[in-house]
Amino acid sequence: MSNMKVTVDKIISLSESDGVDELQKHLTLLSDDQLTTMLTNSAVKGKDTGVLIKAIFKGSPVSVSHGANRRLLVYKHCIPLCESGDLQTEVTSDIIGLLMLETHSLPGHALAALASLYVDAIKLGEMNSGRSLELFPTILTALAATEALAYGKGELSGDEYKKQLINSLCSSRWDPQCVIHLTTMFRDVPLSAEELQFLIEKILRMFLKLDLQEIPPLVYQLLLLSAKGCKKLVLEGIISYFKKQDQLQKEEQRNGESEDVEVQTIPQDQLRHVEGTVILHIVFAIRLDHELGREFLKNLKAAQSDPLCPFSIALLLSVARIQRYEEQVFEFLKGTITKNFKDDQIQHSSKFLQELLPQCNSISNMILDTVKNSVFGWDHVTQGLVQLGFILMDSFGPKAGAFGKVTEGASSTAKTPNQLACRLGGQVLLESFKMHEPIRGEILEQVLNRLVTKTASPVTHFIDLLSSIVMSAPMILLESSSKVIETFDQLSYLPLSTVEGLLKAVQPLLKASMSMKDALILVLRKAMFSSNLDGRKSAVAGFLLLLKNFRILGSLASSQASQAITSSQVQADVHSRYNTAANEAFCLEILSSLRRCLNQQADVRLMLYEGFHDVLRRNSQLASSIMQTLLSQLKRYFEPEQDLLPPLKLESCISAHGDQVFIQEPLAHLLCCTVHCLLWNQNIRSGGNVSNDEDDEDEEGGVQSELHTILESITKCMIKSELEDFELDKCAEFSTSSSVGVKNSIYAVLVMGLNEVLMEYNFITANYSKNHFEDVLELFKRYHKVSEILKERAGKGRPTSSKTSRSLLSLGFISTLLTALFSGDFLRYSVSVALQKIQQLEETGHTDGPEGQSPDKTFCHLCDITSVLMWRYTNVPSTVEDAGKKVKGQSVSLLCLEGLLRVFTTILQRFPTRMSNFLSSLDVSGEGEAEGEGSDLTEQTAFYIRQFQRALMNQLSGGEEGFNSKEAQLLVSILSILSRQHNPSSQQFVQMITWTVKICKETNFEDISLTKGLLSLLFNLHVLYKSPVSLLWEMCQDIHSQLGDIDQDVEVEKQSHFAIISMKTAASTTLLVLSQVGKVLDEVDWLIAKKKGQIGSDRTISGNTQQPLGQQDPIEKAVTIQLGTLLTALHELVQTALPTGPCTDTLMRELSRTYSILTTLTKYYIQLCATQPGQLSARLEKLVKLSGSHLTPQCYCFITYVQSGELTAGGPEKLKKKKEDEAVAAASAKVLRESKAIPNLIFNIEQYEKFLILLSKKSKVNLMQYMKLSTSRDFRINAATLEAALQEQEQQRDESQQTEDSQVSEENQAPKKKRRKQ
């Protein structure tokens, strides 16, 4: 050992002196083993290793072979030594550094040997620590610089040799442990584009063999490697790997749930943490390399067929934190989300598309998955999620329509892509709020800000979100109560609907937070004296809500006073004794504040009257105070003297300002509120549900009996009163333009309202007493008289407002009344009021009066009303009813039918999940009950469909006399709504289609509206069953047959597939058929776009995916068949002598679109030929032949026909100047319209021919042999027509000279014709 030490010292000392020759001699004396042992010992000890290697290199000149060999020996020994892991890190770094410096001086064969050593070591998995790999790039670079190397029996240049090595290395098996080191190493190796692609594909394949924990460092190295190129490939590979991992993890979870297996090969939390780290690496790389960011976005936009997954969405949202990409990312996400919803909608609405394509991947599920995944520490994604949620809600929320009305329904019944996108935004924000504490404050603040600032547009979606947030985490919101209190300060400036929604949403918090409740009361009190009317109404709404929800002990159970909106998590101690006492004082204090409203404007009082009944139902202990308030208010207008008529002082109810008269006290509503509160209270007391103190009971009983007395007195006096007592006369003025007319109108509406309220009161309190029922009928007579006067006056020049005033009868009373009545004007009136209530429910989701706000009660009343309407319509046919007398207005049967249509629409819109309960409750007959109860929705619907089918068949079989067009249309509309309840794959749906086709084929009533209704029903059903193109073709043949040919000499073969198409209905049928053609073209266009997207993404991801020759893609086949049938149908229509106007304009438009889509298809095949050279399908050739030889020539004939039709339109019948002017105006408008339509059509035909020439060149198939180039163009001179016109002009000039006086009209027309022809 000491010998070895002496040798080392000697070599070093010789090296330090200038004795190179001696050093060489000394090294020559050492054997290879001695030299390697010396190196090993020195390196392990970590002493003088670098100096020793330098000395060996100094004494081993490359110029002599033994020197080069010794150097090679040092390299070959040091590389495994460094890799072994026995040396200290600093020693290894020194050795590798020294070796790198001397590499370029090695001869070519030595470099080749070293490179082979590395390749073999990597193949055998001996490079696991990767310490010596730093040297390999230097060896490869030096190798590439050498001129020639022996390879096999010949020789290769160094660069080629390097390529062979890299190819060998990438083609061999890698040990998973060395992948990261190799990736790091390749960053320093010069590579060509092909080598880089090969290498990256190899590394990406290795992902699956690595542990999850090793993925982030590998991704980091891979991103650094992507600086050389192949950025797209790197990003695609990473995203695709995590997409697969997510899918595997989901499948495992699903299988685990079904099989109760706990073992997971991919632990979810580990996968999510790895994904989060990888996203951070990618975002960091994009910050440093903007080219990578551009490539990432470009790649996602290009991959149309399957663009996103939860991982890529999370990555996008993280990239959005970089300012330069923020706008692009959110625009892309918005577009992708709406496109996904639109695609889904298009696919759902067509059976043809459902059979061709698999279901779209739901992007909303992916985004919600991203939200769930973000709980694993993805803080860099959460901010993007919040932004995305608000962007979706702001962009796609409901928009304000005319007069501030909301144009779209509630989000619970979201149907359109925009509504679905808005709802998705809300779900993202709600889930993010639940999961991430740091962003809760921001979400709440932004929601509240929008409620305050967006006063011009509806904010229902934000109110729904706030309500959901409150319900999901009320205690968390209490921590942010200051933000809610700040919003309260703005209440008096907000629209009433926003105030009501906001207070309902935060109502559960008020019970848990005294400070919030006190702040709200303070704000409401201030608002009560606001100069702004809406502010005062907001105060009333707020106070009423508080009264409903702070219940006093002893009030009714919540079966009668539903408290669904309170959250179980904040029902802290609402019913404890202290709270009850506090609630009572609190409620009485509010009531005293509300009494001040009774001196304010009518609108404010009206809100109070409409709200009192609900308060009473929720908080029955307030009955005494409320009844007392109403009594004192009613007494202000009641005439206590029995003999004085009228019994109420109407003049006190109106007020004047300048020359304007307006209502001050909505007296009918006051009486209505009093009646409902009185009857409700009476029911409760008589039921003995509420125990109370005797004093209170006596006092309350006194108020009740006094009110009963007043109401009976008013009833008697109203029956005695004549119109004159109310200063009304049938000849009086009721126009809204004068103060007298306005005053009379207000009186009339008040009198009608009072009569209605008294009718309801007397009917309910009658207890089957004949006198009371007579009173009800007398009151109705008086109501009817005023109503008729108003209608009559409205008919004369329409001076009054045409809208009927809203009835004051309650929905519950109407359902009771309808059941009790059978005939007469009273029944007609009751049914029309029921219709009014149903319409209000359909539009707003609630009705006036008690129980109008309760969905359950409303639903029950709807069921009762529908039962009566259904019974009345099916048992009393309209023909029987109308036979006796000529009724003014609609018959009751027709009103019933209209009611049924509205009910079915309302149920589907407002109670979609309760359709089965609804149909079960309609007891039409014994049979109905048997079939309805206990059977499924399909059977119930089928039963009612049969009822209405029978009624329609009766209409159609009754001949012209018994046929009522309006009734038939209503029946078709009801059938249309009910048939949507059937599953398109069910037997009942097919039966419905068969029946509709049969009706359309056999019905020959020349009724345009019925034809439109039936054909629309047929198309709507048929598209869910199969594509309607064959139907369209048959209909086009019928239209051609009915209207004749554009060439009058041609006799069209008489065909009649559908009897419903006649001379009279053909034009309107044409428009319907063309709109359906448009829908089919939309589907075809959508399919071609899908296929084009697939070509692009297939080319980028997997190179050529060539279809086997002779086998056509199913989508391409379907598209060509659809277009072929459509062309045949249009070929019929183009030859038809259609009336000029909407029919010809629409046909021209659809022809333009057809040629435009044929051009798109041709472009697609050109693109396909570029990527997949192959034979064109025979079907496409047939399609081109059909378009070229059949349709195009007929299009030019059709253009000529349209223009000649326009020329002959001004015939000799238009003699008068006025008619002439109108004709000129109409003709010029038409010319303007057609000046665009005809050139557009010709341009599209020529574009189609242009791209066919291109396709012919690409595919080597002569497609132009089928095209006939036409001489007919839009701008042309027809020689024959010109000659005829000139001759005619000459003749007329001669005639005018001979008989100037007698031929004035002809002379006037001649130049006009000439002008039109020019």
Side-chain angles (χ1 to χ4, degrees):
M1 193 68 189
S2 59
N3 235 0
M4 192 67 70
K5 172 80 174 127
V6 171
T7 311
V8 171
D9 291 342
K10 185 157 189 187
I11 290 170
I12 291 170
S13 66
L14 284 170
S15 166
E16 285 169 353
S17 67
D18 289 334
V20 176
D21 294 340
E22 279 189 47
L23 179 61
Q24 286 180 10
K25 283 176 191 172
H26 190 76
L27 287 171
T28 314
L29 296 172
L30 292 171
S31 68
D32 287 356
D33 288 344
Q34 283 176 313
L35 192 65
T36 52
T37 310
M38 194 192 313
L39 278 168
T40 305
N41 290 339
S42 175
V44 169
K45 286 176 185 172
K47 287 181 182 176
D48 303 328
T49 318
V51 182
L52 177 62
I53 292 173
K54 275 182 188 173
I56 294 170
F57 282 165
K58 193 172 183 181
S60 311
V62 182
S63 50
V64 289
S65 62
H66 62 81
N69 290 338
R70 195 178 300 119
R71 283 189 173 219
L72 182 59
L73 176 71
V74 171
Y75 272 88
K76 281 187 173 179
H77 180 69
C78 284
I79 289 167
L81 187 62
C82 290
E83 199 60 43
S84 66
D86 297 337
L87 310 184
Q88 293 172 16
T89 313
E90 297 83 12
V91 177
T92 308
S93 300
D94 283 352
I95 294 172
I96 295 295
L98 281 170
L99 296 182
M100 282 168 85
L101 286 170
E102 295 295 328
T103 304
H104 286 279
S105 60
L106 286 174
H109 70 87
L111 288 168
L114 283 177
S116 301
L117 169 84
Y118 265 106
V119 171
D120 294 340
I122 290 165
K123 285 180 182 176
L124 295 169
E126 292 169 1
M127 287 285 171
N128 292 345
S129 76
R131 289 180 179 183
S132 64
L133 276 173
E134 284 178 57
L135 181 59
F136 192 30
T138 316
I139 293 169
L140 287 174
T141 309
L143 193 62
T146 53
E147 287 182 13
L149 289 163
Y151 185 79
K153 290 180 182 176
E155 58 177 36
L156 279 175
S157 71
D159 194 42
E160 283 300 317
Y161 193 88
K162 184 201 80 169
K163 285 181 181 174
Q164 292 293 341
L165 276 173
I166 289 172
N167 179 58
S168 166
L169 185 56
C170 293
S171 305
S172 62
R173 185 181 288 110
W174 289 2
D175 188 309
Q177 288 179 310
C178 69
V179 176
I180 295 171
H181 304 307
L182 287 170
T183 309
T184 312
M185 179 270 293
F186 270 113
R187 280 168 45 204
D188 301 321
V189 177
L191 298 167
S192 67
E194 293 79 15
E195 286 170 340
L196 182 63
Q197 184 177 344
F198 186 26
L199 170 67
I200 286 173
E201 283 172 355
K202 169 76 177 174
I203 296 169
L204 290 171
R205 284 197 300 277
M206 291 302 296
F207 268 45
L208 296 167
K209 296 178 182 172
L210 294 176
D211 282 347
L212 266 176
Q213 297 299 340
E214 292 175 336
I215 297 292
L218 177 56
V219 166
Y220 180 71
Q221 294 302 331
L222 200 50
L223 288 166
L224 292 173
L225 183 62
S226 74
K228 290 172 174 282
C230 291
K231 294 176 168 59
K232 185 178 180 182
L233 187 63
V234 169
L235 290 167
E236 270 179 3
I238 295 168
I239 291 170
S240 134
Y241 168 75
F242 282 111
K243 188 175 181 178
K244 279 177 192 158
Q245 294 302 304
D246 278 345
Q247 284 168 352
L248 285 170
Q249 203 274 327
K250 261 193 167 177
E251 278 167 30
E252 272 191 10
Q253 211 172 0
R254 210 177 296 127
N255 296 341
E257 281 169 11
S258 58
E259 296 166 19
D260 299 326
V261 179
E262 290 296 320
V263 183
Q264 282 185 316
T265 53
I266 309 167
Q268 190 186 6
D269 54 345
Q270 192 183 340
L271 175 63
R272 298 292 169 244
H273 286 303
V274 166
E275 285 177 342
T277 313
V278 166
I279 288 171
L280 281 174
H281 284 329
I282 296 174
V283 173
F284 181 66
I286 287 174
R287 278 184 195 277
L288 298 175
D289 180 4
H290 290 303
E291 188 57 44
L292 186 67
R294 277 196 291 276
E295 198 60 58
F296 170 57
L297 286 172
K298 185 178 158 191
N299 182 33
L300 278 178
K301 286 173 185 173
Q304 283 184 10
S305 54
D306 194 10
L308 294 176
C309 61
F311 176 78
S312 60
I313 291 168
L315 180 52
L316 269 168
L317 293 171
S318 295
V319 169
R321 295 177 74 189
I322 304 169
Q323 195 175 358
R324 70 186 294 168
Y325 299 115
E326 184 180 353
E327 196 177 330
Q328 289 180 63
V329 166
F330 287 119
E331 278 304 313
F332 169 69
L333 280 171
K334 256 170 66 177
T336 310
I337 288 164
T338 46
K339 184 178 182 298
N340 183 267
F341 284 133
K342 278 175 188 166
D343 286 356
D344 200 42
Q345 194 179 41
I346 290 168
Q347 217 169 329
H348 265 102
S349 62
S350 167
K351 185 74 172 175
F352 166 67
L353 295 177
Q354 285 167 30
E355 287 172 348
L356 272 178
L357 290 167
Q359 187 64 37
C360 302
N361 288 328
S362 167
I363 200 161
S364 56
N365 290 347
M366 291 178 198
I367 290 174
L368 292 172
D369 281 348
T370 307
V371 179
K372 282 178 201 156
N373 299 346
S374 68
V375 79
F376 294 95
W378 292 9
D379 297 341
H380 43 91
V381 177
T382 49
Q383 194 56 47
L385 283 169
V386 173
Q387 250 179 301
L388 177 66
F390 280 113
I391 284 171
L392 290 177
M393 290 189 82
D394 289 337
S395 308
F396 303 116
K399 301 287 181 280
F403 309 111
K405 282 188 177 177
V406 182
T407 51
E408 292 175 344
S411 58
S412 57
T413 54
K415 288 187 181 71
T416 66
N418 281 7
Q419 287 173 326
L420 291 165
C422 175
R423 187 170 71 179
L424 173 62
Q427 288 170 316
V428 167
L429 289 171
L430 178 61
E431 293 304 314
S432 303
F433 186 90
K434 288 178 185 174
M435 288 179 183
H436 301 286
E437 192 177 341
I439 56 173
R440 282 173 186 157
E442 187 192 342
I443 292 176
L444 181 64
E445 192 170 340
Q446 289 213 41
V447 170
L448 293 172
N449 284 349
R450 279 164 171 76
L451 293 182
V452 172
T453 55
K454 289 182 175 285
T455 49
S457 55
V459 287
T460 46
H461 49 312
F462 288 113
I463 287 171
D464 291 342
L465 174 60
L466 179 63
S467 182
S468 304
I469 286 173
V470 171
M471 298 296 276
S472 66
M475 299 319 286
I476 293 165
L477 251 80
L478 289 177
E479 294 165 17
S480 309
S481 59
S482 59
K483 286 177 182 161
V484 181
I485 290 170
E486 275 173 38
T487 312
F488 287 164
D489 292 339
Q490 309 296 323
L491 280 188
S492 54
Y493 308 106
L494 298 182
L496 182 61
S497 56
T498 306
V499 173
E500 288 179 329
L502 172 63
L503 293 180
K504 269 185 190 168
V506 300
Q507 179 267 319
L509 302 178
L510 300 175
K511 295 191 171 180
S513 167
M514 288 294 284
S515 61
M516 205 182 280
K517 185 177 81 173
D518 294 344
L520 177 61
I521 289 172
L522 200 62
V523 168
L524 292 177
R525 277 188 182 149
K526 281 182 190 168
M528 189 71 87
F529 299 101
S530 163
S531 57
N532 180 4
L533 177 63
D534 266 2
R536 297 199 294 280
K537 286 166 82 171
S538 297
V540 174
F543 278 141
L544 287 171
L545 191 82
L546 290 170
L547 284 178
K548 282 182 214 170
N549 290 296
F550 283 82
R551 292 174 59 222
I552 302 165
L553 196 66
S555 288
L556 288 176
S558 30
S559 58
Q560 278 125 330
S562 164
Q563 278 194 300
I565 54 170
T566 49
S567 167
S568 57
Q569 297 171 58
V570 290
Q571 285 176 338
D573 50 2
V574 176
H575 295 297
S576 70
R577 286 198 172 278
Y578 163 73
N579 254 346
T580 307
N583 281 356
E584 186 165 6
F586 173 61
C587 290
L588 291 172
E589 191 183 342
I590 290 175
L591 268 178
S592 69
S593 293
L594 284 175
R595 283 195 191 101
R596 296 188 188 120
C597 299
L598 296 174
N599 295 319
Q600 295 195 4
Q601 280 94 334
D603 283 1
V604 181
R605 299 185 194 192
L606 193 59
M607 278 196 74
L608 198 56
Y609 298 152
E610 287 179 345
F612 265 157
H613 183 268
D614 264 358
V615 169
L616 199 56
R617 283 177 57 234
R618 297 269 185 110
N619 218 341
S620 55
Q621 287 294 308
L622 293 173
S624 162
S625 305
I626 289 175
M627 300 305 287
Q628 190 64 56
T629 304
L630 290 171
L631 176 62
S632 58
Q633 185 71 0
L634 190 59
K635 278 183 171 176
R636 289 163 68 176
Y637 304 98
F638 175 59
E639 183 59 70
E641 290 289 329
Q642 288 284 336
D643 303 332
L644 283 178
L645 294 178
L648 294 158
K649 303 166 187 169
L650 292 191
E651 64 278 2
S652 310
C653 298
I654 56 169
S655 177
H657 183 73
D659 59 350
Q660 284 189 322
V661 175
F662 48 87
I663 189 164
Q664 182 69 31
E665 175 65 73
L667 186 57
H669 287 84
L670 168 61
L671 195 67
C672 182
C673 174
T674 309
V675 165
H676 287 310
C677 290
L678 179 64
L679 293 175
W680 188 85
N681 207 25
Q682 189 178 312
N683 277 349
I684 299 309
R685 301 291 161 195
S686 60
N689 289 334
V690 179
S691 58
N692 215 337
D693 295 343
E694 280 184 24
D695 294 350
D696 283 0
E697 231 171 79
D698 290 347
E699 185 189 328
E700 214 169 300
V703 172
Q704 280 192 43
S705 61
E706 190 173 347
L707 278 171
H708 277 303
T709 311
I710 288 175
L711 288 168
E712 281 165 18
S713 167
I714 294 174
T715 303
K716 286 189 181 112
C717 294
M718 285 296 280
I719 291 168
K720 286 180 195 169
S721 300
E722 295 297 328
L723 285 178
E724 289 76 13
D725 296 321
F726 295 105
E727 298 176 25
L728 292 173
D729 188 88
K730 62 168 70 175
C731 301
E733 186 185 356
F734 289 94
S735 75
T736 49
S737 52
S738 73
S739 58
V740 175
V742 171
K743 180 191 156 193
N744 287 341
S745 296
I746 291 172
Y747 277 10
V749 170
L750 283 175
V751 170
M752 284 163 68
L754 291 167
N755 278 315
E756 281 189 316
V757 174
L758 293 169
M759 275 192 268
E760 183 162 349
Y761 170 73
N762 282 286
F763 190 93
I764 291 171
T765 56
N767 201 11
Y768 300 104
S769 141
K770 184 185 170 194
N771 293 345
H772 274 293
F773 286 139
E774 282 172 357
D775 289 349
V776 171
L777 290 172
E778 284 297 324
L779 287 165
F780 172 68
K781 279 180 190 168
R782 272 136 192 81
Y783 169 88
H784 191 62
K785 195 183 282 184
V786 182
S787 168
E788 288 300 307
I789 290 172
L790 280 181
K791 277 183 194 165
E792 207 174 293
R793 302 301 292 167
K796 294 179 181 173
R798 300 190 179 278
T800 63
S801 68
S802 55
K803 197 173 179 185
T804 320
S805 58
R806 199 175 273 170
S807 170
L808 291 180
L809 300 187
S810 65
L811 190 65
F813 174 61
I814 280 296
S815 68
T816 313
L817 186 63
L818 280 174
T819 318
L821 292 178
F822 291 96
S823 64
D825 286 338
F826 201 11
L827 176 62
R828 179 192 306 282
Y829 157 74
S830 307
V831 174
S832 57
V833 172
L835 235 73
Q836 190 190 86
K837 296 285 174 190
I838 296 163
Q839 185 175 354
Q840 190 190 358
L841 186 63
E842 184 187 345
E843 289 167 2
T844 62
H846 54 79
T847 64
D848 299 333
E851 300 175 350
Q853 301 285 339
S854 159
D856 291 337
K857 296 276 185 185
T858 309
F859 181 75
C860 293
H861 293 319
L862 262 188
C863 293
D864 295 342
I865 289 173
T866 314
S867 296
V868 177
L869 296 180
M870 192 78 191
W871 181 90
R872 180 72 177 59
Y873 179 72
T874 48
N875 288 285
V876 185
S878 53
T879 45
V880 175
E881 180 192 323
D882 296 343
K885 53 179 179 174
K886 182 72 180 163
V887 188
K888 191 159 63 174
Q890 288 186 333
S891 68
V892 176
S893 280
L894 218 51
L895 281 172
C896 289
L897 198 56
E898 199 176 321
L900 288 168
L901 173 59
R902 283 196 179 282
V903 168
F904 286 127
T905 313
T906 306
I907 291 288
L908 278 179
Q909 191 180 329
R910 300 285 169 186
F911 307 98
T913 54
R914 299 175 71 176
M915 189 68 178
S916 185
N917 302 356
F918 172 71
L919 291 177
S920 301
S921 68
L922 306 186
D923 178 15
V924 178
S925 61
E927 181 193 354
E929 195 171 7
E931 288 209 28
E933 292 291 340
S935 60
D936 67 346
L937 180 59
T938 309
E939 278 303 316
Q940 293 166 354
T941 311
F943 170 71
Y944 287 103
I945 283 177
R946 286 197 297 277
Q947 296 266 331
F948 291 114
Q949 281 176 337
R950 209 171 296 140
L952 185 59
M953 289 303 288
N954 291 341
Q955 274 286 321
L956 297 175
S957 59
E960 294 284 350
E961 305 79 39
F963 178 70
N964 182 326
S965 174
K966 181 83 187 332
E967 189 171 343
Q969 287 169 52
L970 287 169
L971 285 166
V972 171
S973 301
I974 290 173
L975 285 169
S976 177
I977 286 172
L978 287 177
S979 58
R980 283 182 222 151
Q981 294 304 297
H982 281 323
N983 186 330
S985 57
S986 68
Q987 184 192 348
Q988 288 84 350
F989 189 82
V990 178
Q991 285 170 351
M992 182 70 199
I993 288 183
T994 315
W995 180 85
T996 312
V997 170
K998 184 171 179 286
I999 288 283
C1000 290
K1001 289 196 168 184
E1002 294 173 5
T1003 302
N1004 55 4
F1005 274 101
E1006 295 196 342
D1007 185 273
I1008 292 173
S1009 303
L1010 176 64
T1011 305
K1012 279 183 181 175
L1014 276 172
L1015 289 178
S1016 298
L1017 172 63
L1018 177 60
F1019 287 138
N1020 290 341
L1021 293 173
H1022 210 281
V1023 79
L1024 295 171
Y1025 176 58
K1026 63 177 182 185
S1027 177
V1029 281
S1030 51
L1031 268 186
L1032 295 172
W1033 181 16
E1034 289 179 356
M1035 285 181 184
C1036 290
Q1037 287 176 315
D1038 288 357
I1039 293 166
H1040 191 187
S1041 170
Q1042 290 292 339
L1043 295 177
D1045 200 274
I1046 52 176
D1047 185 350
Q1048 292 174 2
D1049 302 334
V1050 174
E1051 192 175 330
V1052 186
E1053 181 191 345
K1054 282 289 172 192
Q1055 291 191 351
S1056 182
H1057 300 95
F1058 293 91
I1060 202 165
I1061 301 174
S1062 63
M1063 275 292 284
K1064 188 178 174 184
T1065 59
S1068 56
T1069 306
T1070 306
L1071 291 172
L1072 268 178
V1073 165
L1074 286 172
S1075 81
Q1076 205 59 35
V1077 166
K1079 286 176 186 171
V1080 176
L1081 287 174
D1082 287 341
E1083 288 178 6
V1084 169
D1085 200 16
W1086 184 78
L1087 279 173
I1088 298 171
K1090 279 267 175 204
K1091 286 301 291 177
K1092 282 177 96 167
Q1094 275 177 18
I1095 290 182
S1097 56
D1098 285 352
R1099 199 169 18 176
T1100 56
I1101 293 164
S1102 54
N1104 278 356
T1105 53
Q1106 194 165 338
Q1107 193 80 22
L1109 276 179
Q1111 184 185 335
Q1112 197 183 3
D1113 178 272
I1115 295 179
E1116 290 171 21
K1117 179 181 170 184
V1119 164
T1120 41
I1121 290 172
Q1122 288 288 92
L1123 281 173
T1125 320
L1126 269 190
L1127 289 183
T1128 321
L1130 289 169
H1131 180 244
E1132 290 285 343
L1133 275 187
V1134 162
Q1135 298 176 74
T1136 308
L1138 293 168
T1140 47
C1143 286
T1144 50
D1145 292 348
T1146 313
L1147 178 54
M1148 203 86 79
R1149 222 172 23 248
E1150 293 308 331
L1151 283 169
S1152 277
R1153 273 205 70 205
T1154 306
Y1155 278 105
S1156 171
I1157 285 168
L1158 283 168
T1159 310
T1160 311
L1161 184 65
T1162 311
K1163 286 178 183 174
Y1164 163 73
Y1165 275 105
I1166 292 170
Q1167 199 179 343
L1168 199 64
C1169 284
T1171 54
Q1172 303 174 13
Q1175 196 178 341
L1176 286 180
S1177 70
R1179 278 196 183 84
L1180 181 70
E1181 287 192 50
K1182 279 183 187 170
L1183 184 68
V1184 172
K1185 183 178 180 181
L1186 195 62
S1187 62
S1189 57
H1190 283 60
L1191 190 60
T1192 308
Q1194 290 298 339
C1195 282
Y1196 287 119
C1197 297
F1198 179 66
I1199 291 169
T1200 311
Y1201 162 75
V1202 169
Q1203 288 177 321
S1204 62
E1206 178 198 321
L1207 291 171
T1208 55
E1213 71 276 1
K1214 292 180 181 168
L1215 300 172
K1216 292 183 183 172
K1217 184 78 181 113
K1218 188 179 173 188
K1219 280 190 178 178
E1220 230 171 67
D1221 291 345
E1222 284 173 5
V1224 168
S1228 59
K1230 192 168 196 175
V1231 167
L1232 257 177
R1233 213 166 46 242
E1234 286 176 0
S1235 64
K1236 290 179 183 173
I1238 294 173
N1240 276 352
L1241 174 56
I1242 292 170
F1243 173 75
N1244 284 339
I1245 293 173
E1246 291 181 350
Q1247 281 292 99
Y1248 172 49
E1249 290 170 1
K1250 171 186 158 185
F1251 283 101
L1252 273 180
I1253 294 168
L1254 270 176
L1255 181 59
S1256 298
K1257 286 177 185 171
K1258 291 263 184 190
S1259 64
K1260 311 287 187 291
V1261 177
N1262 181 17
L1263 296 169
M1264 291 308 291
Q1265 62 182 322
Y1266 307 118
M1267 310 305 286
K1268 295 178 182 172
L1269 288 175
S1270 174
T1271 54
S1272 174
R1273 286 289 181 265
D1274 187 33
F1275 309 105
R1276 72 200 184 290
I1277 296 172
N1278 190 322
T1281 314
L1282 181 64
E1283 184 116 5
L1286 288 169
Q1287 282 178 4
E1288 190 180 337
Q1289 191 180 354
E1290 285 295 324
Q1291 279 177 0
Q1292 286 180 347
R1293 194 176 292 151
D1294 294 342
E1295 286 171 12
S1296 65
Q1297 285 170 356
Q1298 289 167 16
T1299 52
E1300 202 171 68
D1301 298 330
S1302 59
Q1303 300 293 327
V1304 174
S1305 62
E1306 284 176 36
E1307 191 181 15
N1308 284 346
Q1309 284 176 16
K1312 191 170 133 188
K1313 275 194 177 180
K1314 181 184 162 189
R1315 275 203 307 277
R1316 301 275 297 273
K1317 281 192 176 183
Q1318 270 181 334

